Amino acid sequence: MDIEKILSGAGLRTTRQRRVILELLFRHGSPMSHSEILSMIDDHLDRVTLYRTLDTLKNSGIVHQVQGIDGVWRFCAHEQDLDGCPGDHPHFLCLSCGKMFCLPDQKMPRVAVPEGMQVEGKQLVVYGTCPDCAVQKSEEKEENK
């Protein structure tokens, strides 16, 4: 992954903060919250810089954001040459561990809005328990018997 090429392709300068955050998001491969990002960055990065950097990356189209039913915004980097990534797939939120997963193989449903309305975005979040948490819950039930 050529981070400098991605940033320059979006018309952005390569700064240390942008590079570190973008590398982490690509490496992680699924949406991350502000606190998850801060906990995984070795560099000293304050919250304001993180918010501003994520906002810049989002506005440039390098990352997309999705809000879970828990109210937390999560950010995910995506390949620039893939069509429709910022809003064309649903996400899954695990209610046990709080991890969110992109479901890129599924398309968002089309919604026909009345004439004169202009859609600026859409998101679909399905929620439940991820496989790891389901196994853990099952093991806990067995122990409690």
Side-chain angles (χ1 to χ4, degrees):
M1 189 69 43
D2 188 347
I3 299 298
E4 287 188 34
K5 184 177 178 183
I6 292 169
L7 289 167
S8 67
L12 298 175
R13 289 183 306 112
T14 301
T15 64
R16 181 183 56 81
Q17 295 92 342
R18 290 175 185 166
R19 189 181 70 254
V20 167
I21 292 167
L22 202 50
E23 284 173 353
L24 173 63
L25 290 174
F26 272 114
R27 190 171 54 249
H28 192 68
S30 61
M32 298 178 70
S33 68
H34 292 100
S35 60
E36 289 172 320
I37 294 168
L38 278 175
S39 72
M40 296 181 79
I41 291 178
D42 293 333
D43 292 352
H44 297 288
L45 189 67
D46 63 85
R47 287 189 175 280
V48 174
T49 302
L50 175 62
Y51 285 109
R52 287 181 181 160
T53 302
L54 286 170
D55 194 50
T56 298
L57 295 173
K58 178 185 62 102
N59 291 336
S60 70
I62 297 173
V63 303
H64 65 280
Q65 73 176 21
V66 63
Q67 186 176 31
I69 63 163
D70 55 2
V72 175
W73 284 102
R74 291 172 177 85
F75 298 82
C76 189
H78 55 272
E79 299 288 336
Q80 296 303 289
D81 45 350
L82 296 179
D83 291 333
C85 187
D88 203 23
H89 65 260
H91 294 81
F92 180 87
L93 175 65
C94 179
L95 297 174
S96 294
C97 66
K99 291 181 185 172
M100 185 176 278
F101 306 87
C102 289
L103 304 173
D105 294 336
Q106 301 181 46
K107 295 290 182 195
M108 294 286 279
R110 278 198 63 69
V111 178
V113 298
E115 189 174 326
M117 292 184 180
Q118 189 172 11
V119 175
E120 295 184 20
K122 59 183 177 177
Q123 69 175 31
L124 173 64
V125 177
V126 294
Y127 50 92
T129 307
C130 72
D132 291 340
C133 291
V135 168
Q136 185 177 1
K137 282 184 179 182
S138 176
E139 290 172 353
E140 288 172 1
K141 283 183 182 179
E142 287 297 316
E143 288 176 7
N144 291 331
K145 285 187 177 181

